Amino acid sequence: MFAVLVPVAVAVGIYLFGAHHTPDYLNGLFGAYGTEAVDLKARLSTVLLGVALIQICLALWMYGRVPGAGPAPRPVRLGHRVLGFLALLLSLPIAYHCLTTYGIETTSPRVAIHSFAGCALYGAFVAKVIVVRSRRLPGRLLPVVGGLLVLGVALLWYTAALWAFNGDSVPGFSSG
């Protein structure tokens, strides 16, 4: 029960903060404001997506799912952990800027999906930490939760960074 309640509580807590926070559209990110901040977040989240893709490749290697690669050496596990921690650190300023600048918005399907996926991402991160640390939960949950994290990062990138890089539009969504 704990393994479900805590991640849900984290996601709901982020949602409630964002939904009740007064947006401040003048917030900056590392000295960048307005469209410059959006561009910076798009670039940072592209790096984050790259790290997430490396993470999934390392996880596949650790689980023996990379044909011809042989067993993963011990440094692969350490690299996976270090990159996971760095991915979390990289995501925090992006998420903080989104939450404090825009809050939770539902002005268009793209923006609503992005807002909800951002909340869910941190719930999924907490779920992954719980699954990694648990001796009681089935081991098959770990690749599922890890995959959800990568999917979340990809969805967030698609609904924001690609939108910014592509002149405020992405395939599947009208402008907005």
Side-chain angles (χ1 to χ4, degrees):
M1 185 61 92
F2 174 81
V4 173
L5 290 179
V6 173
V8 169
V10 167
V12 169
I14 293 169
Y15 170 82
L16 290 173
F17 173 82
H20 293 93
H21 171 74
T22 302
D24 181 0
Y25 301 111
L26 301 177
N27 277 344
L29 178 65
F30 300 123
Y33 296 89
T35 57
E36 288 180 3
V38 170
D39 184 58
L40 177 58
K41 282 194 307 187
R43 292 178 191 288
L44 290 172
S45 64
T46 300
V47 172
L48 180 60
L49 177 62
V51 170
L53 293 174
I54 292 168
Q55 283 289 88
I56 202 130
C57 290
L58 291 175
L60 288 169
W61 192 7
M62 289 186 312
Y63 279 91
R65 301 287 190 230
V66 178
R74 186 175 292 275
V76 169
R77 292 186 189 283
L78 177 62
H80 184 76
R81 276 195 168 168
V82 169
L83 279 178
F85 182 70
L86 291 175
L88 174 67
L89 290 180
L90 180 59
S91 75
L92 291 175
I94 300 166
Y96 179 80
H97 185 265
C98 285
L99 270 173
T100 58
T101 304
Y102 307 108
I104 299 296
E105 292 186 357
T106 56
T107 55
S108 73
R110 179 195 65 83
V111 172
I113 289 168
H114 185 78
S115 290
F116 298 136
C119 297
L121 180 74
Y122 288 97
F125 177 78
V126 170
K128 184 169 188 260
V129 170
I130 290 171
V131 170
V132 164
R133 302 267 180 221
S134 174
R135 302 266 185 234
R136 294 184 188 176
L137 295 171
R140 67 182 177 275
L141 284 178
L142 187 56
V144 170
V145 177
L148 287 173
L149 272 172
V150 173
L151 180 62
V153 169
L155 181 60
L156 288 164
W157 181 86
Y158 183 83
T159 57
L162 181 60
W163 174 84
F165 291 143
N166 201 39
D168 298 347
S169 70
V170 289
F173 293 99
S174 60
S175 233

